[in-house]
Amino acid sequence: MDTQVETLEFEAEARQLLQLMVHSIYSNKDTFLRELISNASDALDKLRLEAFRDKDLQVDTSDLHIDIEVDKEQRTLTVRDNGIGMSRDDVVRLIGTIAKSGTVDFAQKMKESNDPAAAHDLIGQFGVGFYSSFMVADKVTLLTRRAGEDRATRWESNGAGTYTIESVDDAPQGTAVTLYLKPEDKDDQLFDYTDTWKIKEIVKRYSDFIAWPIKLEVERTDKDGQGTREIETINSMKALWARSKNEVEEHEYKDFYKHVSHDWNDPLEVIRMKAEGTFEYQALLFIPSHAPLDLFMRDRKRGVQLYVKRVFIMDDCEALMPEYLRFIKGVVDAQDLSLSVSRETLQQDRQIQLMRRRLVKKVLSTVKDMMTDNVDRYKTFWTEFGRVVKEGLINDFENRDTLLDIASFASTDHAEQLTTLRQYCDRMKDGQQEIFYMTGESRSTIEISPHMEALRAKGFEVLLLTDPVDEMWVESVREFDGKRFQSIAKGQVDLDTEEEKQTAEAERDQQKKDFAGLLAWMTTTLQEDVKEVRLSSRLTTSPACIVGDTYDVTPTLEKMYRAMGQDVPRIKRILELNPKHPLVIGLQKTYGERKDDAGLAETAELLYGMALLAEGGELSDPARFIRLLTDRLARTL
């Protein structure tokens, strides 16, 4: 048989990660054992599930467990399981690479960070626990045989950038990871990872809740002083979600969260649920304290772990959490589902849908409670996850009111802090019926927009919506608490009081008569670019601005649709003129005196181009615009 040893290179990002691990960027090295045990537990879960689904798979599932073996003389520590195991291809794919998408972003952020703690956070977010072995080991060997296969695979590396891999015979089913520990430094630490007391301490702290027995050979001394060695199960195997609140300590929640999420940070919030009656289930959910780096990646994994009567069914059960809550981690244990339930049948299962509704409402109510009980924690939540939570406003009609209640936005009245819609409404002017907002790429871009001029002059507060998702949800959400959402860049914005309207009515009527000819001419002249030219009530200092009709798609949303491959017709917008601006007054005067002046059309084109640039838009022909502007400036000198 072919037993040739191959030497392969880690992918670039994995090499960078290994270097961080080898140089011990993480102060608490104990977690390497937690990560290895967590991987072993997953392998046992998967074997039991695979054996249930594939009746032809010849495996023994009567004694599934995890062994920890130490050799003080050789300074080795081995974590062994008799779980699903890996094929040779699995080893190369899962161990030779970072087994998550976004490695380019990961490497870039890692390069940008000079803070060891920040680098550790990045690693935790990528869930690459196997690599943590190199914090304590000079060399790591992995021997694995996949259930149902005859040959095994041996993998070995010293973390220097390459690894060897070979096929071998006569290996037990499952996976054994052997760490050749670094030399003991008596000056640096008071313990050794080959000490049984230390191993028991780590397991008790981080892995006591693992559902499978973790076994360790320990030495016992009898009453006659004779030493014997025996195998001891060193974890309690009690499911955390099945224990009452007063039986669980805070650190156990944190450790369990790290186990299910592969995150090395503590969770922001713990959520417990228990439903009894005709349909029973328990849930232990967590809100992370940091957004994972793959939060907006297409091939990310999402969802919580699903158990049925303590039997693991699947990771990342998407049917239990909507897309906009994809960052929620945890476990749901149902009592009445079939063990043979599949991802496909889950989508139509009535009980699953009922659980999902209740879980979502519980998560959102927890966030709402944060707003009053722990404002700082809520601010952290919204900073990390607000952008993705707002996706729910588009399609979760049942919870839309709650989502609007927990949302926060930047506004013109608050330079540093965000504001809720409720707070905005409490500050509204007497008689104000609209919640004014504007979407844009950044706060600074919106604040200097001509659309802001009249609202700023009259003291109206405007919400500044700068996330890409804002362009979409404002199209489907019409109001909050009876107050209509009004874009200051779309439709007619009426800011005058009844008294001001009566005073200005005669002036506006006269302006419409005076500018009627110019507006009609400009509408015809610029018909390739605009649907109408009209007078504006929203400008105070700028000569012109571009607005959309009330129900028009915004330019940004139009671009987004095109980027997604959708064929969207070009939307013509409206050019509004400030009738009190000297440039517009001069243009109107010239039009009245010399309608056939060739320079008038160029002036109209320049005016439109300036309005487009002022809102951050793109000119269709920048070179022509620059040429017209240069010629016009030259004639003024």
Side-chain angles (χ1 to χ4, degrees), residues 3 38 44 151 191 195 252 292 304 313 317 350 442 513 577:
T3 58
S38 181
L44 295 171
R151 305 201 72 195
F191 59 85
D195 290 337
E252 292 183 280
V304 298
I313 300 299
C317 183
R350 188 187 67 81
S442 66
K513 292 178 183 178
L577 305 182

Side-chain angles (χ1 to χ4, degrees), residues 103-325:
T103 52
V104 174
D105 287 344
F106 170 80
Q108 184 61 35
K109 289 181 178 293
M110 200 157 52
K111 289 175 184 175
E112 293 171 358
S113 175
N114 294 319
D115 178 12
H120 140 245
D121 288 345
L122 292 175
I123 292 168
Q125 290 180 46
F126 268 76
V128 284
F130 174 81
Y131 293 86
S132 63
S133 302
F134 289 96
M135 294 192 297
V136 298
D138 288 326
K139 183 174 71 173
V140 177
T141 298
L142 177 144
L143 180 63
T144 183
R145 179 169 70 83
R146 186 171 181 83
E149 295 189 359
D150 296 327
R151 305 201 72 195
T153 302
R154 186 195 306 276
W155 177 100
E156 187 172 284
S157 177
N158 61 6
T162 63
Y163 60 90
T164 61
I165 190 168
E166 63 178 314
S167 297
V168 298
D169 299 316
D170 303 324
Q173 171 194 299
T175 301
V177 181
T178 300
L179 280 59
Y180 293 80
L181 298 169
K182 295 179 180 180
E184 186 177 3
D185 187 347
K186 297 293 186 182
D187 297 328
D188 185 48
Q189 57 188 35
L190 301 176
F191 59 85
D192 180 7
Y193 287 116
T194 61
D195 290 337
T196 55
W197 72 266
K198 181 59 181 177
I199 293 171
K200 292 171 73 171
E201 179 192 74
I202 296 173
V203 170
K204 184 65 179 175
R205 168 119 178 109
Y206 294 113
S207 307
D208 191 56
F209 47 78
I210 293 291
W212 305 105
I214 302 172
K215 300 182 177 182
L216 175 68
E217 187 178 61
V218 297
E219 186 169 338
R220 301 286 187 195
T221 304
D222 61 22
K223 60 183 180 180
D224 298 323
Q226 297 297 315
T228 59
R229 301 193 69 81
E230 61 182 68
I231 302 299
E232 178 184 338
T233 298
I234 58 176
N235 64 318
S236 70
M237 295 180 287
K238 291 182 179 178
L240 213 64
W241 60 88
R243 290 153 59 182
S244 63
K245 263 188 177 181
N246 56 11
E247 292 179 323
V248 184
E249 296 183 23
E250 184 179 355
H251 77 83
E252 292 183 280
Y253 285 127
K254 294 177 180 178
D255 295 336
F256 183 74
Y257 164 73
K258 292 169 185 176
H259 166 69
V260 297
S261 68
H262 299 289
D263 186 358
W264 287 9
N265 301 289
D266 291 337
L268 182 68
E269 193 72 34
V270 179
I271 304 172
R272 289 187 60 133
M273 280 187 71
K274 184 174 182 179
E276 298 178 331
T278 55
F279 181 51
E280 297 184 0
Y281 64 91
Q282 295 167 308
L284 180 57
L285 305 179
F286 302 91
I287 300 176
S289 55
H290 297 282
L293 295 178
D294 64 349
L295 188 61
F296 292 98
M297 293 177 186
R298 184 173 297 177
D299 56 352
R300 69 192 173 275
K301 291 183 178 180
R302 68 177 178 89
V304 298
Q305 293 183 353
L306 175 63
Y307 283 71
V308 174
K309 298 177 182 176
R310 311 277 181 87
V311 176
F312 173 79
I313 300 299
M314 68 181 69
D315 271 321
D316 312 310
C317 183
E318 297 182 359
L320 286 171
M321 277 293 154
E323 179 80 6
Y324 72 90
L325 293 179

Side-chain angles (χ1 to χ4, degrees), residues 72-108:
K72 277 187 170 291
E73 291 185 3
Q74 297 297 321
R75 287 196 56 72
T76 63
L77 183 151
T78 300
V79 177
R80 186 188 310 276
D81 68 73
N82 55 345
I84 192 71
M86 290 182 282
S87 66
R88 183 187 179 99
D89 289 343
D90 290 337
V91 172
V92 173
R93 178 172 56 87
L94 298 174
I95 307 299
T97 64
I98 294 179
K100 275 200 174 184
S101 59
T103 52
V104 174
D105 287 344
F106 170 80
Q108 184 61 35

Side-chain angles (χ1 to χ4, degrees), residues 14-33:
R15 287 200 302 273
Q16 291 175 297
L17 175 57
L18 282 166
Q19 286 303 304
L20 285 174
M21 288 299 186
V22 168
H23 293 296
S24 303
I25 58 98
Y26 189 40
S27 58
N28 185 4
K29 297 180 178 65
D30 293 355
T31 53
F32 83 90
L33 187 56

Side-chain angles (χ1 to χ4, degrees), residues 511 514-515 518-519 522 533-536 539 541-545 575-592 600 603 607 610:
Q511 286 174 342
D514 293 342
F515 284 87
L518 174 66
L519 297 177
M522 286 187 69
V533 180
R534 69 188 183 199
L535 296 182
S536 178
L539 297 172
T541 58
S542 297
C545 69
L575 178 64
E576 289 191 350
L577 305 182
N578 179 358
K580 296 184 179 180
H581 194 279
L583 177 57
V584 176
I585 293 173
L587 183 62
Q588 193 269 340
K589 181 179 179 183
T590 302
Y591 172 78
L600 273 177
T603 302
L607 194 59
M610 288 189 295

Side-chain angles (χ1 to χ4, degrees), residues 370 374-384 417-418:
M370 275 192 230
N374 196 319
V375 176
D376 289 339
R377 190 171 294 183
Y378 164 75
K379 288 179 180 177
T380 298
F381 168 82
W382 194 255
T383 299
E384 296 293 327
Q417 295 184 343
L418 302 180

